[in-house]
Amino acid sequence: MTVDGLEARGVRVTYGGNVAVDAATLAAPVGRITGLIGPNGAGKTTTFNACNGLLRSSAGSVHLFGRDITSASVADRAQMGLGRTFQIVEVCNSMTVAANVALGLE
């Protein structure tokens, strides 16, 4: 199955001997809102970080628009259109309103 969007297949992330994510598979097609829910500690953030390249998975693959990006750098993934925002609800007081809004584009 190829998804026109983001797809993770059997992603596994370990920290030392501890398995944080084991065989995660998900699809986020273009044009649809896709959610990933679960309790604290379930591996949601780790899964996102493996998809965007901040973490390397020890198994599985990540595909974007049908292209395998598993070994691509964070910067390369961003150039292909895969981005991530962080849940920061504070503004940077030393920056202008426009600069704070533009920070979301980064």
Side-chain angles (χ1 to χ4, degrees), residues 42-99:
K44 300 177 299 293
T45 299
T46 301
T47 300
F48 282 127
N49 287 340
C51 288
N52 67 32
L54 289 176
L55 288 175
R56 292 290 177 193
S57 57
S58 58
S61 61
V62 179
H63 299 258
L64 186 62
F65 307 120
R67 180 177 173 189
D68 188 342
I69 61 166
T70 306
S71 60
S73 69
V74 175
D76 288 342
R77 293 175 198 217
Q79 288 288 325
M80 291 179 233
L82 181 59
R84 184 214 164 134
T85 60
F86 294 89
Q87 192 173 348
I88 300 173
V89 294
E90 299 173 5
V91 296
C92 298
N93 291 327
S94 63
M95 296 169 52
T96 66
V97 171

Side-chain angles (χ1 to χ4, degrees), residues 18-34:
N18 297 318
V19 178
V21 174
D22 190 16
T25 298
L26 62 89
V30 171
R32 297 190 57 191
I33 296 172
T34 304

